C-alpha cells in the first residue's frame, strides 16, 4: 500500500492518561510521542475535535524531504483509543495508511523494535480499539517489553513501571524508537524496517 506524499501523517502514542500511569510499560507510546514533541519543538494542546492532545509540526530534513505530521496522545484510556484516533483522522483528513501507532508489545524482547503495516492486535487493547474504529491497515511501531516474569498476570505487568534495570536503557531505546518513527514517515516502511527491525 502506498501512502499519499502530500497528506499529513498522524503519529499516535498509545498509553493511559494521568500521572499514575506515566512510567508504566503500557505507556511507552506516550514516552516516544513526548520525545518527538520535543524534537518538533512544541507542546501538546487539547484537540478541539477529539479527546486527545495534539501537536502539529514537521519531521525530517527541511525542504521537500520533510513531512507534515500531527502528533497525538489519546486522552481516553487505552482500550478506547480508537474513537479519538478516528476523530483526528477525519478532522485532519489523514489516510489510514498514514497513521502510525506506537505501542508496547509483549511478544518481543525488551527494547526490540518491529515496524509493520497492518496485521492483528495480538491482544493489545489499544490496537483492538483502533482496528475496530478504522480497520487494520495502519502502521505500527512495536516496542518490545517482554513477557511477565513467573506467574504475574499480563494486566499487572503492563501497568507496572519499568524495572530499575530496564530504566538504565530506557532513554536510549525511546530515542531509537523516535528515530524509527521519523524514518518511517520520511523514508518509508521498507527503509525503516531494514534500519530498525531487530
Amino acid at each position: 500500500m502506498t501512502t499519499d506524499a502530500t497528506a499529513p501523517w498522524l503519529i499516535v502514542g498509545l498509553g493511559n492518561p494521568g500521572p499514575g500511569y506515566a512510567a508504566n510499560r503500557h505507556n511507552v507510546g506516550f514516552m516516544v510521542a513526548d520525545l518527538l514533541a520535543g524534537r518538533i519543538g512544541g507542546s501538546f494542546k487539547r484537540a478541539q475535535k477529539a479527546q486527545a492532545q495534539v501537536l502539529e509540526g514537521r519531521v525530517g530534513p527541511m525542504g521537500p524531504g520533510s513531512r507534515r505530521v500531527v502528533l497525538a496522545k489519546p486522552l481516553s484510556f487505552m482500550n478506547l483509543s480508537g474513537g479519538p484516533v478516528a476523530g483526528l483522522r477525519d478532522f485532519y483528513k489523514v489516510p489510514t495508511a498514514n497513521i502510525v501507532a506506537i505501542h508496547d508489545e509483549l511478544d518481543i524482547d525488551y527494547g526490540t523494535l518491529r515496524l509493520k503495516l497492518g496485521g492483528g492486535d495480538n491482544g493489545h487493547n489499544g490496537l483492538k480499539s483502533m482496528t475496530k474504529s478504522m480497520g487494520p491497515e495502519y502502521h505500527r511501531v512495536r516496542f518490545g517489553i517482554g513477557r511477565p516474569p513467573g506467574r504475574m498476570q499480563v494486566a499487572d505487568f503492563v501497568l507496572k513501571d519499568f524495572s530499575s534495570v530496564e530504566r538504565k536503557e530506557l532513554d536510549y531505546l525511546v530515542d531509537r524508537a523516535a528515530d524509527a518513527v521519523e524514518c518511517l514517515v520520511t523514508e518509508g516502511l521498507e527503509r525503516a524496517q531494514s534500519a530498525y527491525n531487530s
Side-chain angles (χ1 to χ4, degrees):
M1 179 181 291
T2 58
T3 55
D4 179 348
T6 62
W9 283 76
L10 176 57
I11 301 170
V12 183
L14 293 180
N16 286 309
Y21 296 99
N24 289 178
R25 292 182 178 92
H26 222 20
N27 270 45
V28 74
F30 275 17
M31 296 173 197
V32 177
D34 286 337
L35 181 61
L36 286 166
R39 290 182 181 184
I40 289 170
S43 55
F44 283 100
K45 295 187 171 45
R46 181 72 188 248
Q48 297 293 316
K49 302 291 183 183
Q51 192 183 1
Q53 291 183 314
V54 295
L55 169 62
E56 296 178 58
R58 299 190 82 84
V59 299
M62 297 307 283
S66 74
R67 295 284 179 266
R68 188 160 62 99
V69 299
V70 179
L71 197 55
K73 297 193 296 184
L75 290 172
S76 61
F77 281 91
M78 179 73 87
N79 60 343
L80 299 172
S81 300
V85 176
L88 292 171
R89 174 200 61 183
D90 294 345
F91 180 71
Y92 289 103
K93 298 179 172 51
V94 179
T96 302
N98 278 30
I99 296 172
V100 182
I102 311 163
H103 65 92
D104 58 304
E105 179 63 63
L106 284 161
D107 286 337
I108 302 175
D109 289 341
Y110 173 65
T112 299
L113 291 178
R114 297 273 166 77
L115 287 77
K116 69 175 190 171
L117 174 63
D121 56 58
N122 206 23
H124 192 287
N125 288 330
L127 298 182
K128 197 175 291 184
S129 179
M130 284 182 61
T131 297
K132 185 177 178 185
S133 292
M134 55 196 182
E137 290 302 309
Y138 53 90
H139 288 87
R140 298 103 189 275
V141 174
R142 305 154 72 203
F143 186 109
I145 61 169
R147 301 294 303 182
R151 297 187 177 191
M152 185 186 289
Q153 295 295 310
V154 165
D156 294 334
F157 179 69
V158 299
L159 293 176
K160 282 201 180 325
D161 291 358
F162 286 101
S163 71
S164 57
V165 172
E166 289 169 334
R167 282 198 299 271
K168 289 176 182 171
E169 283 190 288
L170 186 59
D171 287 349
Y172 164 75
L173 296 170
V174 167
D175 192 70
R176 189 167 182 271
D179 290 346
V181 172
E182 290 186 345
C183 183
L184 168 61
V185 169
T186 58
E187 300 184 51
L189 178 61
E190 199 173 309
R191 173 77 184 88
Q193 285 176 324
S194 68
Y196 293 99
N197 275 13
S198 46

